[in-house]
Amino acid sequence: MLTGVDLEDGVEDSYFDYCPWDFGPKASAAQRVAQSTHQERLAETGASLGPRCYVSPAAAVFTDVLCLGADSYIAGYAYVTGKVRAGSDCSVNPYATVRGRVTLGDGVRIGAHASLLGFNHGFAPDEPVHRQPLTSEGIVVGDDVWIGSNVVVLDGVTIGDHCVVGAGAVVTKDLAPWTIAAGNPARPLRDRRGRGGSGTAGPESQLGDAVAEFAERAQAQAADVLARGWSDDTGRYSDRPGVPATVRAHCDAVEIADLLLGAPPKQLTATEHTERLRELQDPVSGLVPELAAGGGPGTLPAPARDGWIEDGTAEYHVLSVGYALELLGSRFAHPVHVVERMTARQLVARLEELPWRTRAWSAGAWVDCWATGAHRNRDVAGESSGGSGALEALFGWLATRVDPWTGMWGAAPSPTEGRLQLVNGYYRLARGSYAQFGIPVPYPERVVDTVLAHASDQRWFAAGRQNACNVLDVAHPLWLAGRQTRHREGEVRAWASEQLTSALGRWRDGAGFGFGPAGEGGSGPGREPGLQGTEMWLAIIWLLADLVGVSDRLGYRPRGVHRPEPARSPMFAVP
């Protein structure tokens, strides 16, 4: 029998801990006063509760942010911490756990003993687990969602509108709207509207089948693709046969092998791959120049007046080599000194000088390199790089220079290129800064508007004209902004479906993907299949599949340069 204080209507206080939905019709006047007092105490800590809400005094609510819409409740013995925002008519049932950064839509039901864990921490071998840094991508749950008892939802997951998650499931990947999912790990079973199940096959189900068939084909041929780029004579990787060996080709090989095989390329051992890449870093600047003609470490030009070295290839190697080493379980041998030595004042001066109005892509690429160097320096030195306040200065400058009409940085569309420079520059900038450090992008709805307008430009996206750079630079911003808004979601999904169908047909057996048409959309290795095109299109296909809601059928998730998760926890979170 439940224990508690027996009030005049015969319903004990503890009854509502387990049946909070009855508080409205059954609570006594005294119980209503007690609940109001309890909510006032929560409000003093910053909580915002809508009308007709109920929060059990027996619930452990220790939040930094708590927002509940009307008619929502938290039952007894629930454990709620972090930054939790819920719409109207939401329920957190007894013994459920909601922690970290969690956002719920309207009409969400969280069953008893379920856990939504909107945070995580590392488990690298160099530190005890209890000293590992916390990360938080957050969990987003749409409208009209039922999360069954004993379900576990992990950090970084988005559950779309109208989903049902069966009891005991462990949700590790996003679920598309209307999905019924179950299992450990949770997998889509069918569509609530009857699509793709019981003998029917809707468009998403058919596309999911095509994605799964492609993944099986690519994984079976991955070893041949990697061997095609390897030269026994030089002991190096080239993008494709007949072209010189490059640093990027080696990094692309590591990323492809990680995606499709879950192991380093078999041409070298993991230790040999690591040593080959680490020895290429210039110890003075911390950059990685292109290979010399004989295949050994290259050289860099003289530094500019602020100490920076102008070399676009070496700048990109901060990304490609750094992430390849991370996939191999290693890191740079030296800090990226050109970033480490740059003060906040020097950084702002260089940002002001970048060619935002004429070459927004180049400006965005520079920001990507600098921010990635700052990220890598934390790996090496364990502290902020670039001088006191330099990284904060970067985000401060970006926040005050973003165009609220486009959500981007750079010039207006041009007659010759349209929005190409603007959108492609945004991808590089946002990848290295906001995405890499787990910080929400400003004006996400305007980003979606700008990117969709660009994606309709037939000069770059008509059939046969797409290249990997241009499609990636649309898919990633739509995916990134889509983590914050469902603005024009149907149009985004339609564009992604069209591009995904087209991309799956570009695979060449035993050779992989070509980058795309040379001379139509900028530089790149062209149509011939190679390691760069293969690495980029594999990541693009994941992004497109995730926008459509079928990425779980691929069986892989990028972990390198094009990883969807932040590489670091948000920089400015309060410890």
Side-chain angles (χ1 to χ4, degrees), residues 81-301:
T81 69
K83 298 180 179 179
V84 179
R85 296 176 172 87
S88 61
D89 198 25
C90 291
S91 61
V92 179
N93 277 291
Y95 299 100
T97 297
V98 181
R99 303 191 65 199
R101 189 152 54 92
V102 179
T103 302
L104 310 177
D106 297 329
V108 175
R109 295 288 181 268
I110 300 174
H113 299 279
S115 296
L116 278 65
L117 306 175
F119 70 99
N120 207 336
H121 63 73
F123 47 89
D126 54 344
E127 288 283 351
V129 170
H130 72 276
R131 293 181 181 172
Q132 295 288 338
L134 289 177
T135 61
S136 180
E137 299 174 49
I139 292 170
V140 177
V141 179
D143 299 335
D144 180 36
V145 173
W146 177 16
I147 296 175
S149 296
N150 291 294
V151 167
V152 177
V153 182
L154 299 185
D155 189 32
V157 166
T158 295
I159 298 177
D161 296 345
H162 316 295
C163 284
V164 174
V165 184
V170 178
V171 186
T172 62
K173 297 180 179 180
D174 294 353
L175 296 177
W178 296 100
T179 298
I180 299 175
N184 181 6
R187 295 186 64 84
L189 301 179
R190 61 182 184 275
D191 190 297
R192 276 182 65 190
R193 298 163 295 184
R195 299 177 183 176
S198 303
T200 62
E204 286 184 11
S205 177
Q206 294 174 358
L207 192 52
D209 290 342
V211 161
E213 291 170 5
F214 158 76
E216 183 176 353
R217 182 180 175 192
Q219 288 161 2
Q221 299 177 25
D224 293 338
V225 172
L226 295 168
R228 183 173 179 268
W230 174 258
S231 170
D232 289 327
D233 294 335
T234 64
R236 296 282 185 184
Y237 289 95
S238 300
D239 181 68
R240 56 197 183 279
V243 300
T246 63
V247 174
R248 176 166 183 166
H250 193 160
C251 299
D252 288 335
V254 171
E255 295 231 21
I256 293 165
D258 182 79
L259 276 175
L260 298 180
L261 302 175
K266 67 178 183 180
Q267 284 75 27
L268 299 169
T269 67
T271 299
E272 289 170 332
H273 282 294
T274 299
E275 291 174 349
R276 290 279 184 93
L277 292 173
R278 281 170 61 93
E279 70 183 9
L280 298 177
Q281 188 183 24
D282 173 36
V284 176
S285 67
L287 297 176
V288 180
E290 188 53 273
L291 298 174
T299 58
L300 292 164

Side-chain angles (χ1 to χ4, degrees), residues 335-346:
V336 184
H337 291 301
V338 292
V339 172
E340 183 184 46
R341 295 167 185 155
M342 186 170 279
T343 66
R345 186 181 296 275
Q346 289 174 323

Side-chain angles (χ1 to χ4, degrees), residues 513-539:
F513 286 109
F515 176 86
E520 296 192 56
S523 61
R527 296 178 183 272
E528 180 68 20
L531 296 179
Q532 180 180 341
T534 301
E535 186 276 324
M536 292 185 71
W537 279 109
L538 287 172

Side-chain angles (χ1 to χ4, degrees), residues 19 65 182 213 283:
C19 303
V65 174
E213 291 170 5

Side-chain angles (χ1 to χ4, degrees), residues 101 136-137 433-440 565-571:
R101 189 152 54 92
S136 180
E137 299 174 49
S433 55
Y434 291 91
Q436 189 164 227
F437 287 92
I439 298 173
E565 294 84 10
R568 305 202 77 89
S569 59
M571 292 299 305

